[in-house]
């Protein structure tokens, strides 16, 4: 230990050198913009990829605005629409635009008013709203892979520039139009990544600032402000560089990385600070005090970091790839905290260190006395406390069975955000933002036998799933296929059976030629061949995105059932289906990763303590409070007290919280065992551990909850949920460590003759 402390400035220089190298590397860490990685089901993803590969793979952005004179007799509304479309078509990476003027323009020019009227009705809900004034332009963007090869830049950067240009167009529409909005999967992902990037920087600054202020109030020494902030900053910087060099990317769940590193760093540092201050009161020598502190804490800190890493790595059992990656990121971050403490702690603590100690405040004295005095009370009340704890955890934990997952991606943003307002317009005026598709094998040459089958399928879908027929606002609001367009051109009833004949066959082929020439993008988006020369037919469906998960799943099951009755090889897919399919995965992943964390951490602690009793004692006050927090969230959902549901941030809470909270138990049990060896009195050892370690636990939890409060200001709701639930879990685990650990230890270790009178 003496040699290690003698090398303190050499170690600090090494830390600064590593930090300098990492500074350039950390800037290379990029963001993953592919939302498909969030969807684990292989079957559903295969269907979605098949849809994109067959029909061009274009990603659609919906540009929406309101024009009170859209259908003015003088054609001014259509003329304004044409100008907007032409501006959008000039934007890089926009391959084509489907709009009302394209759908009607050619036929209006031919003065075919009857056909124009039928097509206007046909495209209602896609190119315009039923109110006659809401305009929607479907802008097809190049897929990420093609876009990257063409632009030579990262897909996320190029996509962001494209969306920025589209947004500028919608904000500068020709008079007398007001500003328009953008919606669609690419917009959601881009907006989410922008918020994550902004949160990562802003939350990091504010959380460290609040932490510094809280630590200053608690410890009243400048070095104790510098110490944790330096460890957190260095660990975060090096972690980001390691991730960049390893090829990992941040995602929509990665804004919490800095926050998690902060938790691990601050918790570790505060234990060192509290123990050092106590040792300094006895030794009156900074070097001796630090040597005593490190000898006492080196082992528990190492094991605590190990359990952190194991808890985070349990997320690799998730089926969602970004969650797996985030688990690896946090494990790397926790290990970097250990390295940072090893390199920087001696120099920071001993630099111009004085043997003078800061007198404890009245609050600190009262806290230590209260914590110590709680042990006799806990022992006396051990029976009612035990039964009360069992009953409380059973009742609250049962609520976990009522947890629901949020499938509306727009609820990842605050209700007042522009993206939610834009989607609200689509939901209300265009029949819903939920888009899904039915893809069926088709003949190489379309014929009436096949189209009649499509018509029968349409009738069954309308009868069983359409909102207008079922009385449910959560059913289908629109059905559109190439069959509908061809029947509109030929003036045939939608969905009706047509008697095949030579004349009708010729008329059908003529309509196909006409539609293909006038609306080629629309035609190929609904009927195309894949690379193997197989033809497929696409039916586009529209439903409301903002609906309960159970009703969304029921609708998708009905769509699959009806589609396969007519076409056994039919596939129902789309972003609407993928979001619904993530429900079971998130819920099962929540408990799978939690179980993996329990098993992994228990094994690590068994290696640390080599006593199964201590492992059990440590796990109880950490596992049960976390289950209670999740259970209380489930009870609130079941009782209708909140509309908050499980999202990406909440889905990681159980495993992450266990990895973070178990540190306190390791320090507590290590201190108890040391005290028991020194004095041989279990009750006295308990009182010392409760006073010394308990004080560090209270201060670190207070600091971290204050720091995490900044997460609540995020506009990205998973970040807010993560901050709130981690804070609640840490608070619950603090109470568990200060109540349940001494309760169990008194039952197992305190002999009858040692009991307080």
């Amino acid at each position: 230990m003496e040699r290690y402390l003698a090398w303190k400035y050499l170690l600090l220089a090494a830390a600064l050198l590593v930090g300098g190298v990492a500074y350039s590397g950390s800037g290379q860490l990029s963001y993953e913009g592919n939302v498909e990685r969030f969807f684990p089901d292989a079957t559903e993803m295969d269907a979605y990829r098949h849809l994109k590969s067959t029909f061009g793979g274009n990603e659609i952005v919906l540009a929406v605005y309101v024009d009170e004179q859209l259908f003015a007799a003088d054609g001014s509304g259509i003329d304004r629409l044409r100008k907007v479309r032409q501006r959008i078509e000039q934007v890089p990476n926009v391959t084509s635009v489907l709009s009302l003027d394209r759908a009607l323009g050619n036929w209006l020019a031919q003065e075919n008013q009857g056909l124009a009227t039928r097509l206007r009705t046909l495209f209602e809900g896609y190119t315009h709203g039923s109110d006659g004034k809401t305009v929607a332009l479907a802008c097809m963007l190049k897929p990420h892979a093609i876009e990257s090869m063409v632009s030579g830049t990262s897909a996320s950067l190029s996509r962001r520039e494209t969306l920025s240009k589209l947004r500028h167009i919608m904000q500068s529409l020709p008079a007398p139009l007001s500003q328009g909005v953008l919606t669609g999967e690419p917009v959601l992902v881009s907006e989410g990544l922008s918020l994550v990037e902004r949160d990562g920087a802003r939350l990091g600054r504010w959380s460290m600032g609040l932490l510094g202020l809280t630590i200053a109030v608690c410890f009243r020494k400048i070095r104790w402000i510098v110490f944790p902030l330096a460890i957190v900053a260095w660990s975060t910087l090096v972690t980001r560089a390691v991730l960049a060099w390893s090829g990992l990317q941040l995602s929509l769940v990665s804004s919490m990385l800095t926050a998690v590193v902060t938790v691990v760093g601050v918790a570790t540092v505060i234990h060192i600070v509290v123990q050092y201050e106590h040792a300094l009161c006895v030794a009156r020598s900074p070097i001796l005090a630090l040597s005593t502190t490190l000898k006492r804490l080196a082992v528990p800190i190492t094991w605590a970091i190990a359990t952190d890493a194991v808890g985070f790595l349990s997320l690799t059992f998730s089926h969602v790839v970004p969650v797996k990656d985030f688990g690896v990121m946090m494990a790397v971050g926790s290990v970097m905290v250990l390295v940072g403490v090893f390199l920087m702690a001696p120099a920071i603590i001993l630099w111009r260190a004085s043997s003078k100690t800061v007198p404890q405040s009245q609050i600190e004295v009262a806290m230590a006395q209260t914590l110590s005095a709680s042990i006799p009370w806990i022992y006396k009340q051990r029976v009612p406390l035990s039964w009360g704890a069992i009953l409380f955890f059973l009742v609250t934990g049962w609520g976990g069975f009522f947890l629901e997952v949020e499938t509306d991606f727009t609820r990842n943003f605050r209700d007042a955000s522009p993206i939610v307002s834009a989607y609200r317009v689509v939901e209300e005026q265009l029949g819903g933002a939920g888009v899904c598709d039915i893809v069926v094998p088709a003949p190489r040459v379309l014929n009436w036998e096949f189209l009649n089958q499509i018509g029968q399928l349409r009738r069954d879908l309308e009868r069983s799933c359409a909102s207008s027929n079922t009385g449910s606002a959560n059913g289908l609001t629109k059905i559109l296929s190439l069959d509908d367009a061809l029947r509109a051109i030929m003036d045939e009833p939608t969905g009706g059976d047509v008697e095949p004949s030579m004349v009708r066959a010729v008329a059908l082929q003529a309509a196909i030629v006409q539609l293909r020439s006038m609306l080629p993008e629309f035609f190929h988006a609904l009927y195309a061949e894949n690379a193997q020369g197989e033809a497929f037919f696409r039916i586009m469906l529209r439903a409301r995105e903002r609906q309960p998960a159970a009703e969304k799943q029921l609708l998708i099951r009905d769509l699959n059932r009806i589609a396969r009755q007519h076409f056994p090889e039919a596939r129902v897919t789309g972003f609407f289906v993928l979001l619904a399919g993530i429900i079971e995965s998130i819920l099962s992943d929540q408990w799978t990763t939690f179980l993996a964390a329990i098993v992994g951490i228990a094994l690590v602690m068994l290696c640390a303590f080599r006593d199964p009793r201590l492992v059990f004692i440590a796990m109880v006050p950490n596992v049960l409070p976390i289950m209670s927090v999740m259970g209380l969230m489930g009870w609130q959902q079941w009782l209708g007290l909140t509309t908050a549901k499980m999202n990406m941030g909440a889905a990681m809470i159980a495993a992450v919280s266990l990895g973070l909270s178990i540190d306190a138990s390791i320090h507590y049990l290590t201190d108890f065992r040391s005290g028991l060896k020194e004095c041989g009195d279990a009750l006295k050892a308990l009182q010392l551990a409760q006073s010394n370690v308990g004080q560090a636990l209270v201060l670190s939890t207070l600091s971290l909850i204050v720091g995490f409060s900044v997460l609540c200001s995020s506009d990205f709701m998973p970040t807010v949920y993560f901050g709130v639930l981690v804070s609640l879990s840490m608070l619950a685990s603090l109470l568990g460590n200060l109540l349940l650990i001494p309760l169990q230890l008194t039952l197992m270790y305190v002999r009858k003759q040692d009991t307080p009178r």
Side-chain angles (χ1 to χ4, degrees):
M1 184 61 68
E2 290 74 14
R3 181 176 299 178
Y4 166 63
L5 296 180
W7 290 352
K8 55 184 179 296
Y9 294 119
L10 183 61
L11 293 173
L12 179 62
L16 295 176
L17 178 61
V18 172
V21 174
Y23 181 78
S24 59
S26 64
Q28 301 171 11
L29 188 60
S30 61
Y31 283 81
E32 169 60 59
N34 186 3
V35 76
E36 294 177 19
R37 285 160 51 89
F38 280 93
F39 305 114
D41 189 283
T43 302
E44 291 179 351
M45 279 308 307
D46 285 345
Y48 186 64
R49 293 190 183 102
H50 175 262
L51 169 74
K52 296 183 72 172
S53 63
T54 302
F55 296 97
N58 294 302
E59 298 175 0
I60 297 177
V61 169
L62 212 59
V64 182
Y65 68 90
V66 175
D67 188 346
E68 298 287 347
Q69 301 298 317
L70 175 61
F71 293 107
D74 61 0
S76 58
I78 297 296
D79 184 58
R80 282 190 291 270
L81 170 58
R82 182 179 297 107
K83 292 178 181 177
V84 174
R85 173 180 58 80
Q86 289 172 347
R87 288 183 64 190
I88 291 176
E89 288 175 336
Q90 300 303 313
V91 175
N93 298 322
V94 174
T95 60
S96 61
V97 180
L98 176 62
S99 61
L100 184 64
D101 71 298
R102 293 286 300 274
L104 303 185
N106 291 319
W107 283 282
L108 286 173
Q110 298 174 10
E111 298 184 354
N112 191 337
Q113 293 294 336
L115 176 56
T117 300
R118 293 195 296 274
L119 290 176
R120 173 179 167 178
T121 302
L122 175 69
F123 287 109
E124 186 176 290
Y126 280 92
T127 60
H128 60 287
S130 58
D131 58 359
K133 59 183 181 181
T134 303
V135 184
L137 298 93
C139 313
M140 300 183 184
L141 310 184
K142 290 177 182 176
H144 277 291
I146 296 176
E147 179 184 320
S148 301
M149 289 188 292
V150 172
S151 65
T153 61
S154 68
S156 58
L157 177 62
S158 181
R159 175 55 44 86
R160 190 169 299 176
E161 290 177 343
T162 300
L163 294 176
S164 176
K165 292 180 182 296
L166 291 176
R167 193 171 285 110
H168 174 72
I169 292 174
M170 299 310 293
Q171 292 172 350
S172 58
L173 296 172
L177 303 179
S178 57
Q179 292 185 358
V181 296
L182 294 180
T183 65
E185 174 194 332
V187 181
L188 283 176
V189 176
S190 176
E191 188 72 16
L193 288 174
S194 296
L195 291 176
V196 167
E197 289 183 73
R198 189 182 69 187
D199 286 349
R202 182 169 59 90
L203 299 179
R205 291 193 301 268
W206 279 96
S207 62
M208 285 201 288
L210 286 174
L211 280 170
L213 179 62
T214 307
I215 293 170
V217 171
C218 293
F219 296 107
R220 304 180 301 283
K221 277 187 178 180
I222 296 296
R223 74 178 66 250
W224 300 145
I225 302 175
V226 174
F227 186 20
L229 297 186
I231 296 297
V232 170
W234 186 90
S235 303
T236 303
L237 183 68
V238 177
T239 298
R240 290 177 61 89
V242 171
L243 298 179
W245 294 329
S246 63
L248 289 175
Q249 292 179 296
L250 298 177
S251 68
L252 291 175
V253 299
S254 301
S255 63
M256 291 82 80
L257 178 61
T258 300
V260 172
V261 174
T262 300
V263 172
V264 178
V266 170
T268 302
V269 166
I270 287 184
H271 280 288
I272 295 175
V273 172
V274 170
Q275 188 63 45
Y276 174 81
E277 288 288 348
H278 288 164
L280 190 60
C281 291
V282 176
R284 296 294 177 179
S285 166
I287 294 179
L288 185 58
L290 182 57
S291 178
T292 302
T293 298
L294 295 180
K295 286 178 181 178
R296 192 177 186 93
L297 294 183
V299 172
I301 284 177
T302 301
W303 285 116
I305 296 293
T307 56
D308 289 339
V310 170
F312 300 148
L313 288 175
S314 67
L315 293 179
T316 59
F317 285 86
S318 171
H319 294 88
V320 181
V321 176
V323 173
K324 290 183 179 182
D325 292 347
F326 187 53
V328 175
M329 294 177 187
M330 292 190 296
V332 172
S334 60
V335 172
M336 289 303 110
V337 168
L338 182 62
V339 176
V341 169
F342 173 79
L343 293 176
M344 292 189 288
I348 295 176
I349 294 175
L350 295 178
W351 185 70
R352 294 187 177 181
S354 170
S355 59
K356 182 180 179 181
T357 59
V358 177
Q360 284 192 320
S361 66
Q362 291 183 348
I363 295 177
E364 290 174 303
V365 172
M367 183 192 305
Q369 292 175 346
T370 302
L371 289 170
S372 180
S374 67
I375 297 300
W377 178 84
I378 289 172
Y379 183 80
K380 289 180 180 179
Q381 304 296 326
R382 63 191 182 281
V383 175
L385 281 175
S386 299
W387 284 109
I390 291 172
L391 180 62
F392 174 79
F393 290 126
L394 282 176
V395 172
T396 55
W398 189 261
F401 291 102
F402 306 127
L403 284 171
E404 296 181 32
V405 174
E406 185 58 75
T407 61
D408 180 1
F409 202 82
T410 63
R411 294 192 186 275
N412 287 314
F413 308 90
R414 294 189 182 274
D415 282 340
S417 66
I419 189 68
V420 174
S421 300
Y423 264 84
R424 193 174 293 122
V425 172
V426 176
E427 290 276 275
E428 295 172 357
Q429 303 300 332
L430 295 173
V435 179
C436 62
D437 303 272
I438 298 176
V439 179
V440 300
R444 297 284 298 275
V445 178
L446 291 176
N447 54 64
W448 280 116
E449 288 81 4
F450 175 77
L451 294 181
N452 284 338
Q453 280 186 279
I454 296 294
Q456 292 169 7
L457 171 58
R458 179 195 177 91
R459 291 197 297 271
D460 285 349
L461 290 173
E462 288 180 335
R463 183 170 55 252
S464 302
C465 302
S467 296
S468 56
N469 293 331
T470 61
S472 170
N474 297 321
L476 295 178
T477 58
K478 184 72 176 181
I479 303 173
L480 179 63
S481 72
L482 201 60
D483 175 56
D484 302 314
L486 292 171
R487 290 174 187 269
I489 293 174
M490 301 176 66
D491 199 12
E492 294 283 355
T494 301
D497 287 335
V498 175
E499 188 67 30
S501 67
M502 183 65 71
V503 174
R504 288 191 176 276
V506 172
L508 174 61
Q509 297 308 313
I512 290 173
V513 171
Q514 187 178 17
L515 184 61
R516 192 199 298 263
S517 64
M518 293 189 173
L519 289 175
E521 298 88 359
F522 173 73
F523 186 91
H524 291 295
L526 296 179
Y527 177 71
E529 295 182 4
N530 62 15
Q532 291 73 40
E534 300 168 318
F536 290 91
F537 194 90
R538 176 183 185 181
I539 303 172
M540 295 195 297
L541 311 174
R542 181 72 65 81
R544 301 193 183 280
E545 180 66 48
R546 312 194 83 175
Q547 59 175 287
E551 296 197 28
K552 185 180 288 189
Q553 288 179 309
L554 179 61
L555 174 60
I556 293 170
R557 282 197 295 269
D558 287 341
L559 293 177
N560 273 296
R561 174 179 55 81
I562 295 170
R564 286 168 185 168
Q565 285 176 353
H566 295 273
F567 298 93
E569 298 180 11
R571 295 184 175 187
V572 179
T573 186
F575 203 55
F576 181 84
V577 178
L578 293 178
L579 283 174
I582 202 174
I583 298 172
E584 295 181 2
S585 175
I586 287 183
L587 278 178
S588 63
D589 283 356
Q590 166 83 357
W591 303 118
T592 300
T593 56
F594 190 37
L595 180 60
I598 291 174
V599 173
I601 289 173
L603 291 175
V604 172
M605 295 193 67
L606 187 60
C607 294
F609 292 116
R610 293 185 288 278
D611 186 341
R613 292 180 305 169
L614 292 180
V615 174
F616 178 81
I617 289 172
M619 298 302 289
V620 167
N622 293 285
V623 172
L624 295 184
I626 292 170
M627 294 182 66
S628 290
V629 170
M630 302 308 298
L632 288 172
M633 184 177 177
W635 277 118
Q636 290 185 64
Q637 293 176 5
W638 187 74
L639 294 173
L641 301 177
T642 179
T643 58
K645 298 179 181 179
M646 293 280 291
N647 58 23
M648 293 178 291
M652 301 184 295
I653 287 302
V656 171
S657 296
L658 181 59
L660 295 174
S661 64
I662 201 69
D663 295 8
S665 302
I666 293 175
H667 285 283
Y668 196 110
L669 292 174
T670 301
D671 199 85
F672 169 75
R673 289 213 305 181
S674 298
L676 189 60
K677 287 180 181 179
E678 291 173 4
C679 66
D681 186 332
L683 184 60
K684 186 175 181 180
L686 256 178
Q687 289 178 305
L688 289 173
Q690 186 83 337
S691 177
N692 296 336
V693 179
Q695 190 173 356
L697 297 185
V698 171
L699 293 175
S700 62
T701 302
L702 171 64
S703 301
L704 292 169
I705 289 177
V706 170
F708 265 68
S709 65
V710 182
L711 298 178
C712 298
S713 66
S714 173
D715 290 323
F716 194 55
M717 296 311 295
T719 303
V720 176
Y721 279 47
F722 187 85
V724 171
L725 292 177
V726 165
S727 296
L728 290 176
S729 296
M730 287 191 299
L731 184 60
S733 295
L734 171 66
L735 296 175
N737 280 299
L738 296 181
L739 181 63
L740 296 183
I741 284 185
L743 176 61
Q744 295 176 91
L745 288 174
T746 55
L747 293 173
M748 292 187 181
Y749 285 88
V750 178
R751 299 186 302 275
K752 190 172 183 179
Q753 60 268 29
D754 295 330
T755 59
R757 298 183 182 277

